[in-house]
Amino acid sequence: MQELDIPVYVLHVQKRQEGLLKTDKRDALGLANMLYNQLEKGIQVGDPLQAVRRLVAPTEAAAQLRGMVRHHYELTAESIQRKNTLTAICDELFPEFTRLLRNPNLPTALALRSRFPTPADLAAAPWFALREARGRTCSVSDAKLIELQRLAAQSIGTKDPARVRGLVIEQKQLIRELDLIGQHLAQLEAEMIHMVGNSREGKILTSIPGIGPLAAATLIALIGNIANFERASQRKLVCRLGPKGSTIGVHSGLDTLVAAWGQTDETDDVSHRVEGYPMG
């Protein structure tokens, strides 16, 4: 609605009066009366939880990052789902695999699983093919390859041909999907890092120890605009930052930055003064 220049107002969640049944008509009437009293009549309310305020549109950086952050979350969830399925397949096909390669979804492990999908394939593989599939990584030594081939020859994994065939096809497709998701995540993260580095609020956020560009992108998209928060405590609440545990340093750093953001010229437009990121 803000894109169509329609004003949007926000209000804290209200509690219905005791003994009243919930109906859309009663809820709409209550909201209309509250909006009319405060916006049209200018009546002040004593309870801050009943105050109505206009929602300020997100900054340009926040508007651009919001969709990217959401898509990044979806891709990450898809990646985790496929990794979990690949781990389950490994446990069924070659349960001894994780004795030597603890994470069966790392690049070297996936390269071996893709080249030799079953323990029988791995056990019968020539030495040069094993080294070629391993690549130049130092994490899997020649001794580990020899031991892995020995374990493959004695594996207790499933031997049912029909089941093995189905697992091999599924594993092959999942590895390709995981690789494609990884490429998309890399492209998306590169774009997010570029946008954070070129935005004012991104530069402010990344100057705080412990906040990297991807975390800054998420926070910028989450908050939208600093003008939607009257006090620093509200911003900390939204960001789930408090003076406890490992967030103490970040908490105090945010206080300092918010104080600095407030020292602007009185002639600046309000949207300019609140352009910075609402963190502290």
Side-chain angles (χ1 to χ4, degrees), residues 9-84:
Y9 295 88
V10 292
L11 176 67
H12 193 276
V13 178
Q14 301 295 302
K15 183 178 180 181
R16 190 167 58 251
Q17 295 181 11
E18 298 291 342
L20 292 180
L21 296 177
K22 173 178 171 55
T23 64
D24 292 341
K25 182 178 180 180
R26 182 176 288 118
D27 291 343
L29 180 60
L31 289 174
N33 288 334
M34 190 175 294
L35 288 169
Y36 180 76
N37 290 336
Q38 294 187 43
L39 301 180
E40 185 68 22
K41 296 296 185 180
I43 298 175
Q44 296 182 358
V45 292
D47 186 359
L49 297 181
Q50 293 185 348
V52 178
R53 59 183 178 83
R54 184 167 180 174
L55 184 66
V56 181
T59 62
E60 181 179 356
Q64 293 176 348
L65 286 169
R66 187 163 291 173
M68 293 185 182
V69 169
R70 185 182 300 110
H71 188 44
H72 186 275
Y73 171 81
E74 294 169 351
L75 288 177
T76 302
E78 292 285 343
S79 176
I80 293 173
Q81 181 182 8
R82 281 158 178 77
K83 287 180 179 179
N84 290 339

Side-chain angles (χ1 to χ4, degrees), residues 12 16 43 53 60 87 99 106 120 122 143 192-193 224 226-227 236 251:
H12 193 276
R16 190 167 58 251
I43 298 175
R53 59 183 178 83
E60 181 179 356
T87 300
R99 291 186 188 177
L106 291 179
L122 186 60
M192 291 166 63
I193 291 172
I226 195 174
K236 293 171 189 171
H251 180 89

Side-chain angles (χ1 to χ4, degrees), residues 112 115-116 121-122 125-135 145-146 148-149:
L112 289 170
R115 183 78 174 269
F116 312 106
D121 295 332
L122 186 60
W127 177 246
F128 73 89
L130 286 174
R131 299 192 65 180
E132 182 181 357
R134 177 191 62 181
L145 282 180
I146 295 174
L148 190 65
Q149 198 167 34

Side-chain angles (χ1 to χ4, degrees), residues 92-93 118 158-170:
E92 188 171 353
L93 276 177
T118 67
T158 182
K159 299 295 192 297
D160 180 29
R163 179 60 178 162
V164 170
R165 176 61 178 168
L167 290 174
V168 168
I169 294 175
E170 184 180 4

